[in-house]
Amino acid sequence: VAVTVYYVDNPDDTTSMYTMIDEQSDACFVTNHVLQTLNVPSYPVEVKLSTLLGEELIQCRKASGLIVRGTKESVEIPLSGSYSSHNIQAKE
């Protein structure tokens, strides 16, 4: 799904990207590059990821204030909190 993302304090500075939706997830992850590109303030946190394969603690950053909308849509969705990582692994 293609989306446009911006930081609430700077709605004129946007970036576009593709997203992956995981209906079983209760968190939102973005790359560090997105936070840097949009100048979103963040702070370091440790997050426990739980999957069928087990649990793992990862170091990442937490940010608030990201807004997302479909590239051809007008409805905007504020993300309550996002976690960032250098690389988000996904199997195609």
Side-chain angles (χ1 to χ4, degrees):
V1 176
V3 297
T4 299
V5 179
Y6 68 89
Y7 179 52
V8 68
D9 288 348
N10 192 5
D12 295 327
D13 188 12
T14 66
T15 189
S16 296
M17 68 187 71
Y18 287 99
T19 63
M20 181 176 60
I21 300 171
D22 178 355
E23 294 178 359
Q24 299 300 311
S25 181
D26 62 356
C28 176
F29 285 88
V30 297
T31 61
N32 291 337
H33 179 73
V34 170
L35 296 186
Q36 293 168 351
T37 299
L38 298 175
N39 295 314
V40 178
S42 63
Y43 58 92
V45 294
E46 188 174 72
V47 174
K48 185 192 316 184
L49 291 179
S50 300
T51 68
L52 289 173
L53 301 176
E55 294 180 340
E56 177 182 3
L57 292 176
I58 63 165
Q59 302 298 317
C60 56
R61 301 192 66 79
K62 185 169 183 178
S64 297
L66 287 176
I67 310 290
V68 65
R69 74 170 180 272
T71 54
K72 297 180 181 180
E73 303 294 328
S74 60
V75 175
E76 297 181 334
I77 302 169
L79 303 176
S80 60
S82 302
Y83 299 96
S84 75
S85 181
H86 173 69
N87 184 25
I88 299 174
Q89 297 179 4
K91 187 174 181 179
E92 295 181 18

